[in-house]
Amino acid sequence: MQSIIGTLLFLAAVEARNIPRQASTSASLLTDLSTISQYWGQITPYSDNPENYFGVEDVGLPSDCQVEQAHVLQRHANRFPTSSSDDGLNDERFASKILNYTKTGQGSFTGPLAFLNKYQYEMAESYLTGLGASTEFMAGVTFWNRYGRTLYNASVGQLAYNSSYPNGTARPKPVLRTTSQSRIYNSEINWALGFFGPSFDIVPNPNITNASTPFNVVVIPEGGTENNTLASYDSCFNDNDAIGSLGDDDLFTYLPKYLANATARMQQYAGKNFTFTTNDTYAMQSICAYEQGYLGMSDFCNLFTETEWECFENTLDMEYFYDYSYGNPTGRAQGIGYVQELLARLQHEYITVSNSSVNSTYDNNAAEFPLNQAFYADFSHDDIIISVLTALSMDYFRDPPSLTAVPPNPNRTFILSHLTPFGARLITEVIGCASSNPTPVPAHRTQYYPTQYGYNPANATNKFIRMRLNNGILPLNTIRGGACANGRPDGMCALSKFIASQAGSYALSNYDYACFGNYTIPDPTNGEDYDGTISA
């Protein structure tokens, strides 16, 4: 356990990144890893956003209010690179190119690239890493501390969930959902160890996966064509062809715009028989981020300027905006299934018929889709979180990344490192209040116990929704249509109005045509904002 704590403290020190960004003007190489690691988009190490990061002014929970239910859509944490062409395949290609050059005696590298003479690529594809497991474990601990203690009225010193009521009778087992993919399933396991706590019971219990586990797990298959809201691209066929790769196309057109100098800089340390390309230098940036998330170290990280790192992140921003958000015709369709499930849970309803990525076989019964749980935990992917925000019409994030700016605008709102870093979490809070218009509270107030600030469940008849993305409170007043534009400066929206704000979300997704229609994209790299949908 001490080794886990040590790792987490190290990660916390490395990952601190809450200083407001300013445009970079320096051409010198950036060597401060705590700054470099801010610019890794969806492969950035996790750290909380400040509560006011997304512009919500008042972050405290009002008096006579309390969180009564919490829904978390939890992303897996640090993993190996994937097999996509601009990710793992490009990294592996570059590593093979290096190995072929050095092992066949064609030449050698000098100066800061001398390490390449003995370099060996050590990463596999796609699986959760040890540092990723520790991030998920910490996510579970954090969720217990921030929500579980209040939801279950924890006793003094209670470290984690207790499967029994105070009178000793057993609680109903919470249901957690995951896909069958290795990194997702392993994320659920490690998160559960943090939340449910058998790995740090007061009386140590080495049997942490036995039949007495205090929760149930629903594993939804991933990798085929089945419906799965946590991997919705499986059943949205148009996302699996050229339509789903618009952002990748944009990425490759952007590389020469910012990596020309870096490529020339690398070339001066290579022999005459080795030629660097912009794809090579891009792979070096990617390998830096992935090796840090696997080994905790990398010799590739000190080779680029801050502007080059800022632009690296912009490539990832454009990839996700144009693959999974407003910039892709399937953006809403890929997120609408989870939105439907969230609304069903909020309204205490099963889903018996599917018209999206919802799998009604799982969602039509209490065993696999229970109603009225104190919390829900669903384990998924970064792109699903992005598509859910799009399907919600959270227009705060409708800010297309520039396909040409070097460096990109530091004040843009679609910055992936703050949206879906490794271990990202989108949390929907259901808050009960005595008043229909509770007075906002500017500063954070820690909730040590449920009734601390006057909350009484007997009179908390007014229900509100507040959402957080990596701890930052989301501006629900930017949801299109104005149902949540209530003038509140604290991000809270009345439950009934939040539900009303989503009345047209399925129709707007144009799910059937977006996912299965016969259409083409005439100019894949023109940066068009499709508003996440398309019509016949």
Side-chain angles (χ1 to χ4, degrees):
M1 187 64 188
Q2 288 180 341
S3 63
I4 292 176
I5 293 174
T7 298
L8 295 173
L9 290 174
F10 166 77
L11 287 172
V14 170
E15 296 163 12
R17 54 182 176 87
N18 292 331
I19 299 174
R21 295 184 176 188
Q22 297 179 349
S24 173
T25 57
S26 174
S28 60
L29 299 184
L30 182 62
T31 59
D32 178 10
L33 187 60
S34 65
T35 302
I36 294 170
S37 62
Q38 297 179 36
Y39 298 125
W40 293 344
Q42 82 279 7
I43 49 180
T44 300
Y46 182 81
S47 72
D48 274 349
N49 289 317
E51 290 184 291
N52 65 354
Y53 179 79
F54 299 110
V56 171
E57 298 174 12
D58 296 335
V59 299
L61 194 64
S63 297
D64 303 324
C65 296
Q66 188 52 268
V67 176
E68 297 179 336
Q69 189 180 67
H71 306 243
V72 58
L73 182 60
Q74 175 75 35
R75 186 202 174 189
H76 65 79
N78 311 48
R79 56 159 170 76
F80 288 122
T82 68
S83 59
S84 63
S85 60
D86 54 340
D87 192 52
L89 285 188
N90 191 46
D91 296 352
E92 293 166 8
R93 178 205 53 78
F94 171 70
S96 295
K97 181 178 177 180
I98 293 293
L99 190 64
N100 181 63
Y101 177 70
T102 57
K103 295 303 182 184
T104 57
Q106 298 180 55
S108 60
F109 297 92
T110 61
L113 299 188
F115 75 94
L116 291 176
N117 295 319
K118 300 294 183 181
Y119 177 73
Q120 182 171 307
Y121 188 79
E122 294 288 336
M123 291 183 288
E125 283 187 0
S126 299
Y127 300 118
L128 193 72
T129 70
L131 292 177
S134 68
T135 296
E136 289 297 323
F137 177 88
M138 192 61 198
V141 171
T142 300
F143 193 82
W144 164 257
N145 287 334
R146 292 181 179 173
Y147 295 103
R149 290 188 55 80
T150 298
L151 295 172
Y152 292 100
N153 195 18
S155 60
V156 173
Q158 184 175 336
L159 293 172
Y161 176 86
N162 189 332
S163 59
S164 298
Y165 290 108
N167 65 5
T169 59
R171 297 180 188 272
K173 289 186 176 185
V175 171
L176 281 59
R177 300 193 313 166
T178 177
T179 81
S180 61
Q181 190 180 82
S182 173
R183 66 178 179 265
I184 307 298
Y185 204 161
N186 276 324
S187 292
E188 175 273 317
I189 291 170
N190 285 281
W191 188 96
L193 289 175
F195 183 87
F196 293 98
S199 60
F200 50 91
D201 281 347
I202 294 173
V203 178
N205 175 14
N207 299 312
I208 58 178
T209 59
N210 62 18
S212 64
T213 301
F215 59 95
N216 292 325
V217 179
V218 172
V219 182
I220 307 175
E222 176 178 356
T225 58
E226 59 281 303
N227 282 13
N228 183 345
T229 59
L230 307 180
S232 57
Y233 38 76
D234 280 354
S235 58
C236 185
F237 296 168
N238 281 338
D239 182 59
N240 297 314
D241 60 19
I243 294 169
S245 301
L246 300 183
D248 305 72
D249 296 335
D250 292 329
L251 182 159
F252 282 114
T253 65
Y254 186 71
L255 298 188
K257 294 179 173 60
Y258 85 92
L259 281 176
N261 288 340
T263 303
R265 192 166 64 244
M266 302 306 168
Q267 189 62 51
Q268 65 182 320
Y269 301 112
K272 62 181 181 179
N273 295 321
F274 189 94
T275 302
F276 273 98
T277 68
T278 53
N279 281 10
D280 293 337
T281 46
Y282 188 69
M284 294 169 75
Q285 290 187 295
S286 175
I287 291 172
C288 157
Y290 279 120
E291 286 186 343
Q292 282 295 138
Y294 170 43
L295 302 171
M297 62 193 81
S298 176
D299 287 333
F300 287 96
C301 291
N302 298 333
L303 302 172
F304 299 91
T305 69
E306 185 160 13
T307 293
E308 288 160 354
W309 281 120
E310 291 170 339
C311 291
F312 175 76
E313 177 169 59
N314 194 49
T315 68
L316 303 174
D317 293 346
M318 64 178 66
E319 179 183 20
Y320 275 64
F321 188 89
Y322 292 104
D323 280 359
Y324 309 114
S325 188
Y326 294 104
N328 193 282
T330 69
R332 292 178 182 274
Q334 293 188 66
I336 193 60
Y338 178 81
V339 172
Q340 290 176 315
E341 290 181 330
L342 175 64
L343 294 172
R345 288 165 169 170
L346 292 175
Q347 298 175 92
H348 318 290
E349 298 173 347
Y350 296 120
I351 302 178
T352 58
V353 177
S354 173
N355 57 7
S356 68
S357 60
V358 167
N359 193 321
S360 57
T361 301
Y362 292 97
D363 290 5
N364 68 359
N365 64 89
E368 295 167 317
F369 194 77
L371 305 179
N372 303 309
Q373 278 194 176
F375 77 94
Y376 294 91
D378 293 310
F379 296 84
S380 184
H381 299 267
D382 45 5
D383 49 307
I384 303 302
I385 293 177
I386 294 298
S387 292
V388 167
L389 295 171
T390 305
L392 288 168
S393 289
M394 191 84 67
D395 281 349
Y396 177 88
F397 298 111
R398 193 177 179 184
D399 183 15
S402 172
L403 304 183
T404 58
V406 176
N409 176 11
N411 298 316
R412 64 197 188 279
T413 59
F414 194 93
I415 299 179
L416 213 57
S417 60
H418 290 275
L419 307 186
T420 55
F422 279 138
R425 66 245 17 198
L426 174 64
I427 296 177
T428 302
E429 303 170 343
V430 180
I431 297 171
C433 296
S435 170
S436 62
N437 188 26
T439 301
V441 173
H444 173 85
R445 295 202 295 194
T446 299
Q447 305 290 311
Y448 290 96
Y449 54 92
T451 59
Q452 182 176 357
Y453 294 107
Y455 169 76
N456 180 352
N459 64 12
T461 56
N462 300 281
K463 309 301 180 184
F464 294 85
I465 294 295
R466 185 172 66 177
M467 300 182 79
R468 294 178 184 265
L469 184 58
N470 310 321
N471 192 55
I473 299 172
L474 291 177
L476 299 188
N477 61 347
T478 69
I479 291 177
R480 195 174 308 174
C484 288
N486 51 17
R488 293 195 64 86
D490 57 7
M492 289 171 52
C493 177
L495 173 60
S496 60
K497 292 183 177 180
F498 176 79
I499 292 171
S501 77
Q502 299 305 310
S505 58
Y506 175 76
L508 190 55
S509 74
N510 290 307
Y511 184 86
D512 286 341
Y513 188 72
C515 288
F516 310 114
N518 183 16
Y519 60 91
T520 58
I521 304 299
D523 186 354
T525 59
N526 69 350
E528 183 171 347
D529 178 353
Y530 288 93
D531 195 22
T533 190
I534 193 167
S535 299

